[in-house]
Amino acid sequence: MPASADTSVSASAPADTSATAVVGGPLQPLLKGMTDAGAVSVIAKVTDGRQVWTGGSGVAEQGRRAPVDPEGRFRIASVTKTFVATTVLQLVGEHRLGLDDPVARHLPGLLPEEQSTITVRQLLNQRTGLFDPTNDGVSVIPDPGNELAFRTWAALGGLNRTYTPAGKVAASVLHGPLFAPGERWDYSNTNFDVLGMLVEKVTGRPYGEEITRRILRPLGMNRSFLPGTSSGIPGPHAHGYTDGVDVTEQNPSWIGAAGEMISTTGDLLRFGRALLQGRLLPPEQQREMTTMLATGTAPSYGMGLAGVRLSCTTVLGHNGEVLGFKSDLWGTADRQLALSYAPGGDATAQAAQSAAEFKLLDAAFCGGN
């Protein structure tokens, strides 16, 4: 489907029918290493435009023998932020938003006076000081580390609750700021709740509709969508677990514009390739998005885009985690990797899975496949 008249997408991205599909190969043992370390399942896809490698390990659902489908859908978690940021930067390129616009110009009254100077730029690069009620283990969901509290919450229907962006921002404001706007960097999902509200205010359409019409449809990402308050994942998909609770079906309004999207590895590679080749944003906004700021920790961060230093290069993208699922989308202009896995086991096991995840990422870009 062609892009709408006012979109900034410069080109569609049809499937590369000349690419050679490869299953197995040197990366496959690294996937198995993640499930050997306790992950329920892991799937990955790597492309350089000429060759596409696909792999998977583990089972789709605990207690069943069916293997995970490498082409199945999954919750992409905070990789959603890169889609939101791209949409916001398209609006900036269209002069419908300014990076240095204060939030109060477009959403008056949303934030108190001491936070009224927060700008679109600070939201995008996580320098607002807005408290994150989705990660404090109290305001939105109980800390999954408190197994009894989490199981009780889930059993009482917590996975099906609907949260509004305004309600989450209000919870942030109630807590108070962590620091003055622009003072330092601190990752907060609340920043992207506000960005989602800004997109709707400026365009008159929900951010999910804007992402769909500006990015998903033009790129042919036909298996990706933003579910809103819908809890299921249609079609083949992996199951995710938290403290032994199957959390595959969850109302993703709790994470909203910061992480609600559902996709596949193939669709994510289409997006990553188009973005890093400069086909989704004008040059000025592309430079803004990919200018990395020091965060005090790794990785560095731009605008809804992070940078990770590997043994041979730096890759740009994002990772993410929601209940039951972890995801990755990283790349250069020439090569991209998309990965999803369902963590399992205790904290020690999950640390081993994270280490294996990084080893796989480094091998995909520096070790060949």
Side-chain angles (χ1 to χ4, degrees):
M1 181 177 294
S4 303
D6 64 345
T7 182
S8 295
V9 176
S10 59
S12 61
D16 185 356
T17 55
S18 65
T20 302
V22 177
V23 178
L27 292 184
Q28 183 62 36
L30 296 175
L31 296 184
K32 187 174 185 300
M34 292 181 68
T35 51
D36 286 348
V40 179
S41 66
V42 56
I43 58 175
K45 194 181 290 282
V46 180
T47 183
D48 61 8
R50 298 178 301 276
Q51 181 171 282
V52 178
W53 174 88
T54 301
S57 181
V59 294
E61 184 176 2
Q62 283 184 341
R64 298 181 181 272
R65 304 176 75 176
V68 66
D69 185 343
E71 306 296 342
R73 288 188 174 100
F74 54 90
R75 299 188 184 278
I76 74 170
S78 285
V79 179
T80 303
K81 291 180 173 70
T82 310
F83 288 84
V84 173
T86 302
T87 300
V88 170
L89 287 167
Q90 286 184 357
L91 292 170
V92 171
E94 295 163 11
H95 307 292
R96 300 169 71 180
L97 268 177
L99 282 176
D100 295 313
D101 288 355
V103 172
R105 180 178 301 175
H106 302 281
L107 298 169
L110 179 68
L111 301 175
E113 184 176 353
E114 66 268 28
Q115 295 168 300
S116 63
T117 61
I118 288 173
T119 64
V120 174
R121 181 187 302 276
Q122 290 166 345
L123 291 167
L124 285 166
N125 61 29
Q126 304 273 15
R127 294 175 64 87
T128 66
L130 285 169
F131 172 72
D132 183 357
T134 64
N135 276 325
D136 73 335
V138 177
S139 301
V140 175
I141 59 172
D143 182 357
N146 184 338
E147 185 172 349
L148 179 59
F150 182 83
R151 284 178 170 273
T152 301
W153 174 83
L156 293 176
L159 290 170
N160 297 315
R161 290 181 185 168
T162 294
Y163 299 89
T164 65
K168 288 181 285 178
V169 172
S172 171
V173 168
L174 185 64
H175 178 278
L178 300 178
F179 50 84
E183 185 175 274
R184 59 184 175 88
W185 186 92
D186 190 79
Y187 190 89
S188 173
N189 288 325
T190 308
N191 294 326
F192 278 76
D193 280 318
V194 177
L195 287 168
M197 297 172 75
L198 279 170
V199 170
E200 182 166 359
K201 180 68 174 182
V202 170
T203 67
R205 287 178 288 266
Y207 66 85
E209 289 185 17
E210 283 297 302
I211 290 172
T212 300
R213 65 192 290 273
R214 288 171 173 270
I215 301 173
L216 304 189
R217 287 176 182 165
L219 292 182
M221 296 176 64
N222 299 320
R223 301 189 64 201
S224 303
F225 64 101
L226 292 98
T229 60
S230 178
S231 62
I233 304 178
H237 60 272
H239 282 239
Y241 303 85
T242 298
D243 289 331
V245 177
D246 189 329
V247 294
T248 308
E249 294 194 0
Q250 55 182 275
N251 181 332
S253 63
W254 71 269
I255 193 66
E260 70 161 281
M261 193 169 159
I262 290 171
S263 188
T264 65
T265 55
D267 270 8
L268 286 182
L269 291 182
R270 285 175 179 253
F271 171 67
R273 191 169 182 81
L275 181 65
L276 295 181
Q277 291 183 347
R279 291 190 278 119
L280 295 179
L281 293 172
E284 181 179 353
Q285 282 68 52
Q286 186 80 4
R287 284 193 297 273
E288 293 277 10
M289 186 180 212
T290 56
T291 298
M292 296 290 117
L293 303 176
T295 64
T297 60
S300 55
Y301 207 82
M303 292 187 172
L305 198 69
V308 170
R309 180 66 190 168
L310 303 178
S311 62
C312 66
T313 189
T314 294
V315 291
L316 300 182
H318 217 292
N319 61 358
E321 180 178 2
V322 293
L323 295 174
F325 297 88
K326 290 191 176 183
S327 59
D328 288 277
L329 177 63
W330 300 102
T332 64
D334 299 322
R335 176 174 288 219
Q336 297 81 40
L337 170 143
L339 177 146
S340 172
Y341 72 102
D346 59 17
T348 300
Q350 293 193 28
Q353 292 157 41
S354 293
E357 174 188 9
F358 184 84
K359 184 177 180 181
L360 190 151
L361 175 62
D362 192 78
F365 289 94
C366 301
N369 66 356

